[in-house]
Amino acid sequence: MREDISIRTGYGDCRSFIFTPDGSGPWPAIILFMDGGGIRPILFAMAERLAGYGYVVLLPDMFYRAGVYLPFDVPHLFATGTVRDVIGPYSATIDNALAAEDTAFFLQYLDTREDVAGPNIGTVGYCGGGAWSLTAAGRYPSRVVASASFHGTNLATESPMSPHWLAPYMKGEIYVAGAAEDKGYPPEMAARLEQALSAAGIDHRCEIYEGTRHAWTMPDVPAYDPIAAERHWHELSLLMKRKLS
């Protein structure tokens, strides 16, 4: 089931979507942080599948500061080479620090729902959302017990907002899967993230999915890899089952 809701944040109303399994619950909650393609049917399908594993899934529109927009025609944008031109202004309205502030309000909302079981939650993010997922793990360690990033970008940079700086504060289990070809997550960045998580003693696993390109989980982009995408679902479901069941 899907509910269209609005969550009041410090910056306005964030349109969001709740997906729940069949039954009466309660169930553990997961926040799904979108990729750079914005809210669209593909993300609804992914949230619905995740909810089907037995979770309340919150999918917030992280571009809400830019105002209301129609779903982007992602295949067309890739075909015409206009992805950055069209989506860039929306992406510019959000960063890791703002996402962390928003997450406080998302947690408050989840706490009001009777169908959410307990305070422990999981997070998962794609593309830029991968950094938001890991940032949530570092900023809200008493709540986030499992955090995943798939083809996440800028996970370990010199920016003070880089999520790898938060490794000493994390308490949950971390899973990171990068693409073999990804300018936003080169080998040296992967090594830096691995080092930060290891030094902090975090229960984690960082992998590179060989033969993949950035955004391999998304069926509406040219890089989509159905085999690697299924592997991602397998790893994600096991992680959440270990920490939230």
Side-chain angles (χ1 to χ4, degrees), residues 2-241:
R2 177 181 127 191
E3 302 173 41
D4 296 10
I5 62 172
S6 179
I7 298 176
R8 187 71 176 178
T9 75
Y11 296 87
D13 295 322
C14 175
R15 70 164 180 157
S16 304
F17 308 88
I18 286 282
F19 296 80
T20 56
D22 292 331
S24 58
W27 306 277
I30 296 173
I31 300 175
L32 192 164
F33 290 107
M34 66 190 205
D35 67 334
I39 297 295
R40 60 198 191 281
I42 289 299
L43 284 178
F44 291 155
M46 294 175 72
E48 183 176 2
R49 177 167 177 175
L50 187 56
Y53 294 150
Y55 305 102
V56 174
V57 178
L58 171 62
L59 172 65
D61 180 5
M62 302 304 286
F63 290 164
Y64 73 93
R65 291 175 179 83
V68 178
Y69 61 93
L70 295 175
F72 299 117
D73 186 345
V74 174
H76 175 74
L77 296 182
F78 272 97
T80 58
T82 56
V83 173
R84 293 185 182 276
D85 292 338
V86 173
I87 300 181
Y90 294 86
S91 298
T93 65
I94 181 69
D95 58 29
N96 293 346
L98 292 173
E101 291 184 41
D102 289 344
T103 299
F105 294 95
F106 302 156
L107 293 172
Q108 290 175 15
Y109 168 76
L110 290 173
D111 288 342
T112 68
R113 293 187 62 96
E114 294 183 356
D115 57 358
V116 171
N120 292 344
I121 72 157
T123 64
V124 58
Y126 301 84
C127 188
W132 306 333
S133 177
L134 298 189
T135 298
R139 288 288 300 273
Y140 305 99
S142 65
R143 302 294 303 271
V144 180
V145 298
S147 183
S149 167
F150 293 96
H151 46 81
T153 57
N154 300 317
L155 302 182
T157 71
E158 294 297 333
S159 168
M161 292 188 291
S162 177
H164 83 289
W165 299 120
L166 297 172
Y169 305 99
M170 297 176 184
K171 294 181 179 179
E173 183 176 347
I174 304 295
Y175 179 78
V176 176
E181 299 179 33
D182 195 340
K183 294 180 180 179
Y185 189 63
E188 59 271 22
M189 185 182 296
R192 188 177 191 184
L193 177 62
E194 172 72 43
Q195 182 180 23
L197 294 172
S198 296
I202 304 303
D203 184 8
H204 72 283
R205 184 153 54 101
C206 297
E207 298 185 298
I208 298 295
Y209 284 22
E210 296 301 328
T212 61
R213 295 178 291 156
H214 178 73
W216 84 85
T217 63
M218 300 293 166
D220 59 351
V221 305
Y224 177 62
D225 184 323
I227 295 177
E230 284 304 311
R231 178 182 172 187
H232 125 269
W233 282 114
H234 176 72
E235 294 291 353
L236 179 59
S237 63
L238 289 180
L239 170 65
M240 297 303 171
K241 184 177 181 180

